Amino acid sequence: MTNTLHISIAAQSDNLGDVEIRRQLIEQFLQRGYHLVVFTGNMPQTYIDAFRLPSGAKVVSNPLAFQASVLRNALLGRASLAYAPGPHVLTDSPKALAKAAAVLGLCAFVRLRGGSLSVIGRSLRGTGRLSIGLERALSAMATSYAMRDTASAPVLGRSADVMPDMAFMRNASVDNSVAGQRDIVALSFRSDRAVNLDGLVSLIEASQARGLKPVFITQVRRDDEVHAELSKILGIDAVLWENRTHSEQEEVIEHYYSRSHAVVSNRLHSLLFGVAHQAFPVALHEENHNKIPTTLKPWVDFDSLVLDDPDFAFLSRTESDRKVLSDSAKAAGTVLGKYISSKVPDHS
């Protein structure tokens, strides 16, 4: 009997990283023969289009209709559920607790009817005692439960599988067999955190001295404003999102990442999009923010750049270093693929 995967893709609609990790997880189920019911909520059409869903997928924007589909297919013994990958903050606000409890009840019904429950690529933060209890119940109920970072299990207060971020699967779909000119240092910064301007000037000058062209790259639309401002102040190019669709912007930034020697960013998926093109990941070091190191460190080496006291050794990395990066990234994708194969029933 063909099984039906139910998954929500409602997320930050201006973030290509959110698209990528959900798209990669969905693809794993499609490869294993699942039908698809996708909850979109109020996501814009260009966001939905970026998922390139198969023609047979059922797209549902109403939450009650989505829940009804889960219950109906569960009664027939053919429902599976997957939590969308990405960060989840455990808070004890009444709204958060009510939502978590309701979804947990839906999960329990699916499991009682023999369906699978996949929680892969989750990242936990927060200290809500009741929310942590509900999350522990979810982990016990799930047929697969894997965090994407090493910081989540301590939040949960118990051991959990740690697997590469879903974006590592992107490496398999990118063709790097024909190496082009690598003349760019891609810069992609969060709009909600200040960047040391003097250190950034030093980075730009050091890059240019090595014949590399620094370029701001917008992968999250809300970062356009800060990139445009910094571009004007520093006199370098910026690849802004502006009025492009999600798919158009993804195609544009892919071109720039394929030409990048390195990607310097405090956004995890800017680094991982670059890694897919064998661009060296350079994470801005930020106190009290451990998302990037706890996600990347188990799988690929990366540079940590402190703009207050910068070290630009990454600008001198060689093609042999790039081969090591590529092999490590591919190995991470293989590890994740094997884990999914061991946990997700095949209905193809």
Side-chain angles (χ1 to χ4, degrees), residues 41 43 114 134 166 178 199 290:
M43 295 295 100
L134 291 172
M166 288 303 308
V178 180
N290 65 356

Side-chain angles (χ1 to χ4, degrees), residues 11-13 15-23 47 51 85 87 269:
Q12 299 178 92
S13 64
N15 190 332
L16 291 178
D18 277 9
V19 172
E20 176 65 8
I21 57 178
R22 287 159 178 78
R23 186 169 58 194
Y47 172 89
F51 282 83
H269 290 111

Side-chain angles (χ1 to χ4, degrees), residues 236-272:
I236 64 174
D237 290 344
V239 181
L240 304 180
W241 190 319
E242 297 180 313
N243 295 319
R244 295 190 185 99
T245 67
H246 292 71
S247 297
E248 289 169 346
Q249 182 66 3
E250 184 176 8
E251 183 177 355
V252 169
I253 67 174
E254 286 281 281
H255 169 71
Y256 281 88
Y257 285 144
S258 70
R259 291 174 52 193
S260 294
H261 171 75
V263 177
V264 181
S265 184
N266 52 3
R267 284 202 176 276
L268 171 65
H269 290 111
S270 293
L271 297 175
L272 284 175

Side-chain angles (χ1 to χ4, degrees), residues 25 83-88 117-124 135 138-140 142-153 156 158-166 295 299 335-340 342-344:
L25 182 59
Y83 271 63
H88 180 65
L117 171 60
S118 299
V119 185
I120 302 173
R122 202 156 166 86
S123 174
L124 302 178
E135 187 70 21
L138 175 67
S139 69
T143 49
S144 58
Y145 187 86
M147 302 294 95
R148 75 176 185 190
D149 61 15
T150 56
S152 291
L156 190 63
R158 59 178 57 179
S159 62
D161 293 335
V162 177
M163 286 291 127
D165 184 270
M166 288 303 308
T295 305
W299 312 109
V335 167
L336 180 55
K338 288 181 177 179
Y339 178 83
I340 294 172
S342 72
K343 297 292 185 179
V344 175

Side-chain angles (χ1 to χ4, degrees), residues 289-306:
H289 295 286
N290 65 356
K291 176 180 178 178
I292 290 174
T294 59
T295 305
L296 293 185
K297 192 171 184 179
W299 312 109
V300 294
D301 290 332
F302 65 97
D303 287 271
S304 182
L305 180 62
V306 182

